Amino acid sequence: MSSIRTQACATLLILVLGAASAQILPEGFLDETLEGDWDQPVGLTFDDDGCMFVWEKSGLIWMVEDEQHTDHAELFLDIREEVGNWSSNGCMGFALDPGFLDNGHVYVLYAVDRHYLDHFGTPEYDPGASLSFVPTIGRVTRFTSPAHGEPADPSSRFVLLGPTKDSGFPLVQGEHSVGWLSFGEDGSLLISCGDGAAPGGPDTGGTEPAQAALLDGIITPEEDVGTFRAQMIDSLSGKLLRIDPATGAGMANNPYFEPLAPRSVRSRVWAYGLRNPFRFDLMTGSGGAAHPGTLIIGDVGEGAWEEVSVCRTGGENFGWPLYEGLEPEDILSTVSIENRLAPNPLFGQPLPAGGTCDTPFFTFDQLIAQEHETAPSWPANPCDRAVPIPAEYTSVHTRPVLDWKHITGPSRAGTFAADGSASVAVLGEPGTPVAGPSFAGSCSIGGAWYDGPGYPVEYRNSSYNVDFTNGWMRQLRFNAQGELMEAAEFGSVLGPVVAVNTHPINHDLHYIRFSGTGIARIHRIRWIEGNQPPTAKIDVDAPFGPSPHVVQFDATGSSDPEGLPLAFSWDFGDGTPLSGVPAPLIAFPSEDVSAGSTPLSNVFDLSPPQAPGPQPLDIEAIRDGVWPIAGTWLLEPEWISLYLGTDVKGPEDWIGYGFGTDRTIRRLVFQEGFEFGDTGGWFEDLRVQVRQAGLWNDIEDAVFVPPYDGRDQLGYEIHEAVFAPVVGDGIRLIGAPGGSAFFVSVAELRVTADPLAPTLQPTVYPITLTVTDAVSSTVVTTDSVWVDDTPPVVTILEPSQGMVYDPTQIEVFPLTAEISDAEHAVADLSCQWQVILHHDSHTHPEPFQTGCTGNATLFPHGSPGDAFHFQIDLTVTDPLGLATTSSHSLQPANDCNLNGFDDALDLAQGTLSDLDGNGIADGCENDCDGDG
């Protein structure tokens, strides 16, 4: 989180940013945004007391105890020095021990920085150095907090998995990295990791990064098969592990446990055949003393299909890379790769038909059979059709319970044909075993199991899964046997969600919503019976400018779910009175001139001046800053113009201020006092006058917001007079006093004017808007206005706009820029670079780089036919927080229109044109395609 955190297990304020307006949920549910920006958070979880733990991809882990008071949080653990934070790598998983409140144990899953991996503990180690875009490993480490609410002790570090290069999760290509940590109901620690291979396959090994990983001992020669490592029981890639959290050893009843080698890879494997199991959740109540429970896994797909898989028992094979979704993978299923850990027992043996067996190993595709209703079958030994492949090598594809296709859909469920063979059915069509409409998506994230009492019964005992790219959340309903029965629409337009979890006390779903740059917010989904709070929205026409800087604010974009009328309260951060005007026009800086002025009243103009009321009252009550709540009975904070003398005051009464010199007056805020039955306390009519050259003149355009309604038996209502700026040396309210005693009551009268001599000092004003509906449900949002300050001027020099890069290679180039600022020294400006990969309809933001110069690394990404390019952003911020962002787009070579295809192919197919016949696609003449 980018803001400073100071309080131990401090709090997040709900609704500070308002209920998010774009999100669509079922009626009765409310999407609330918790205050605070987070820097690439990738997960959140809760202890049994409701303290929230949020971990950022960089390796920062924060404690947030409550959600009701402040956005401060305390740093719980900082392992940034050890974390390799680049591409899909980083600190991705975090879990609290089931006994955390007693033992303080926490577990972290992360990619290890390669410099740290190579040199920590040696003279060559530099704590400030890092090495990215090279093969590394994933690691699981335990830390301990000495007491509840206190940070973890770094010295308690204990590596459970991956203490050395040859014992961690192989992260060869920077993608499909480590995933999630969670505890099973049996107390075991469950860990997911992707295949660590290159996207855009088929990655069958032998790549340059794989050769580097092989030389470094990160993978063995047998593991140099790229994405097929997911099918190898003796590789940690593409797996779901189940280990003892005390020792890191496999659990004794794991499907491949070796009693003599409890820390071996196969001893730890629970399930396999996964591409990128980014997140998974546990079906509550499905486990026991010797079983972790049923797991619902979001597995990110490759070229076409996303999936949700259900792991009910150990040893299940989810098929990747031979299967994507419910059916064989189109590309990789045609690639026959040897599994060099599956030796053919007939190799070198004489064969009945003559000759000897020359097939030393079985291939991966020979070892897995598609699911069948009765009897799956595998091919025979290729050397002798009469000999089966040994059962120890074979497995059955466990099909996902749900898959969905990229871009257009459909979504499908697995069925069986009449002959028992595997078949598929499209959601929404007759005969489909899973209810719900068909849908599309491009990035299966996984979700969280909900079994709390906070939601209506029809929303309980379900898994809530999300798609990062399409921004939806679906409620997956299962029967008692763990079979998926319905995939119901629940949330849409949620944005790119990276994690979902359930609060143990308020029982609400919480999720993390990314932005395109990785800055994120945490949301809470609440069920509310009855009135829902409104949405607050601020529009500002001019966030910065020279003084006097006049800003048009507008809150009319705010809304209420029930259509109730809204009341507004603006705090402009300059000490001037609050405003209840929906769209106020405010000048900065402004001065509350009430304090230094002379109060004016009819009773003071009598000859001689008379004391009002039955006893002398203090006129200072009208500018003492005490604003009583409307409808209360308080006499002390008001001034009453009741006159008990024999002289007649006249038909009108007034209250105001004289300034002694001309001022440019912009605002007048009036809070009436108490209304005394029929006796008086109000104006029968009311207008505003300004004193100019000794004469009082009506301000003709003055309008009261809300309209002044005279006597309504509700005291202490606030009204603001809205008018164009007017110059004068005094201002007053005037009108006929009400009631039988002909007097008015005034609690506060505040006047705002332009300063006589503005300082021209750059200043930032925090703006706060409070919106309240007719039943007093309130929401708050904030903004800022900068006066006598201008944004920095930023010009990126390197890389140049439209620079061509080779999408097949890792490229490193300098980051330089020319920056300046009219009000601040360059040394006082802060710079932040970011590399953002655009891949089809989503983005992959890299970590921010501070400093006004640096280096950027572009890395290969995407599949043939994908659209992708890089964006380089530089944000320069002045000391007051006013910022400028400049952006350059980098084009992949030979793909000017960024559709994933070489321009020559586009020209041949007519996707691009070449009307001038110069051999370069129209619009690409700046040689963005690099063809000369």
Side-chain angles (χ1 to χ4, degrees), residues 44-74:
L44 74 167
T45 190
F46 303 88
D47 68 20
D48 291 342
D49 283 349
C51 183
M52 179 191 294
F53 292 80
V54 180
W55 59 100
E56 295 175 342
K57 188 169 173 281
S58 64
L60 291 174
I61 302 165
W62 303 92
M63 288 188 297
V64 187
E65 184 180 20
D66 185 60
E67 299 176 349
Q68 301 298 327
H69 302 101
T70 176
D71 68 337
H72 290 174
E74 183 181 357

Side-chain angles (χ1 to χ4, degrees), residues 230-265:
Q231 285 295 310
M232 302 176 75
I233 304 299
D234 292 286
S235 173
L236 290 171
S237 298
K239 301 300 187 295
L240 186 66
L241 306 185
R242 176 172 171 256
I243 67 171
D244 183 339
T247 66
M251 302 297 289
N253 63 340
N254 278 353
Y256 312 106
F257 184 76
E258 298 175 312
L260 298 180
R263 295 177 64 85
S264 70
V265 171

Side-chain angles (χ1 to χ4, degrees), residues 415 424-436:
T415 56
V424 298
V426 174
L427 267 63
E429 294 184 358
T432 306
V434 176

Side-chain angles (χ1 to χ4, degrees), residues 507-572:
H507 305 291
D508 290 331
L509 290 171
H510 290 63
Y511 69 89
I512 297 174
R513 176 181 182 173
F514 259 49
S515 69
T517 63
I519 297 300
R521 293 266 167 84
I522 297 175
H523 290 242
R524 171 185 173 186
I525 297 177
R526 251 200 319 152
W527 166 259
I528 297 181
E529 292 190 72
N531 180 66
Q532 295 195 19
T535 295
K537 184 177 186 295
I538 295 178
D539 285 320
V540 181
D541 72 335
F544 61 89
S547 59
H549 180 47
V550 180
V551 181
Q552 177 68 69
F553 295 96
D554 191 348
T556 57
S558 305
S559 61
D560 185 77
E562 293 84 14
L564 297 175
L566 299 176
F568 305 94
S569 178
W570 296 87
D571 184 340
F572 303 111

Side-chain angles (χ1 to χ4, degrees), residues 633-715:
W633 175 276
L634 295 170
L635 296 181
E636 293 82 1
E638 69 178 350
W639 183 81
I640 303 169
S641 70
L642 175 63
Y643 170 64
L644 299 181
T646 58
D647 293 337
V648 177
K649 290 196 297 180
E652 291 187 313
D653 205 350
W654 59 82
I655 184 74
Y657 297 108
F659 308 127
T661 188
D662 281 348
R663 303 298 297 264
T664 300
I665 307 166
R666 293 185 181 269
R667 294 181 63 210
L668 182 149
V669 181
F670 162 54
Q671 183 180 34
E672 63 178 350
F674 192 79
E675 296 184 13
F676 294 84
D678 295 330
T679 306
W682 63 90
F683 286 100
E684 292 288 357
D685 58 75
L686 185 60
R687 62 193 192 277
V688 185
Q689 290 186 334
V690 61
R691 189 169 61 191
Q692 299 167 316
L695 299 177
W696 288 101
N697 302 307
D698 286 349
I699 300 177
E700 298 293 348
D701 64 342
V703 176
F704 287 96
V705 180
Y708 183 75
D709 47 13
R711 181 190 180 194
D712 62 0
Q713 299 301 310
L714 180 64

